[in-house]
């Protein structure tokens, strides 16, 4: 089984509560974050600030990834294909017994 090449993280600088910090995320997460912010009528920076205020002890990059995952799970209508199908996640997962299946 060949694996897709790892994608490099994109580091961006944001202002949170008056302090500048940098956040490193994969390009796909930046794109998803922009889509979510636009749908909510807010800036990416404002959305990151809201995520930051709710993240607890989790690091900011991880908190953003978990937020994006949750947002896409929440928006999925029952008639839509699962997120895993849309994202190509879980394809070719090995089942116990040696068979291959799409998850």
């Amino acid at each position: 089984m060949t694996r897709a090449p790892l994608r490099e993280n994109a580091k961006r600088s944001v202002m949170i509560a008056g302090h500048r910090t940098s956040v490193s995320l994969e390009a796909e997460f930046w794109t998803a974050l922009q889509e979510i912010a636009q749908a909510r009528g807010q800036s990416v920076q404002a959305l990151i600030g809201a995520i930051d205020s709710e993240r607890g002890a989790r690091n900011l990059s991880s908190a953003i990834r978990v937020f994006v995952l949750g947002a896409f799970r929440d928006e999925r209508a029952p008639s839509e294909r699962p997120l895993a199908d849309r994202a190509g996640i879980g394809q070719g997962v090995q089942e116990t017994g040696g068979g291959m299946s799409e998850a």
Side-chain angles (χ1 to χ4, degrees), residues 1 9 14 20 37 47 49 53 57-58 61-62 64 71 77 92 98:
M1 174 194 257
N9 288 357
V14 295
R20 188 158 290 292
L47 183 55
S53 70
R58 186 176 301 207
S61 293
S62 293
I64 292 170

Side-chain angles (χ1 to χ4, degrees), residues 20-59:
R20 188 158 290 292
T21 189
S22 61
V23 178
S24 183
L25 294 170
E26 295 77 11
E28 295 84 353
F29 281 100
W30 283 116
T31 299
L33 201 58
Q34 290 169 338
E35 291 171 5
I36 294 165
Q38 183 177 13
R40 293 176 174 212
Q42 63 185 152
S43 69
V44 171
Q45 190 159 295
L47 183 55
I48 290 174
I51 295 167
D52 180 60
S53 70
E54 304 269 329
R55 71 184 167 109
R58 186 176 301 207
N59 76 50

Side-chain angles (χ1 to χ4, degrees), residues 75-94:
E75 83 167 11
R76 187 177 73 212
S79 63
E80 288 183 327
R81 294 180 305 151
L83 176 63
D85 289 348
R86 291 186 282 143
I89 298 169
Q91 294 179 357
V93 173
Q94 183 111 21

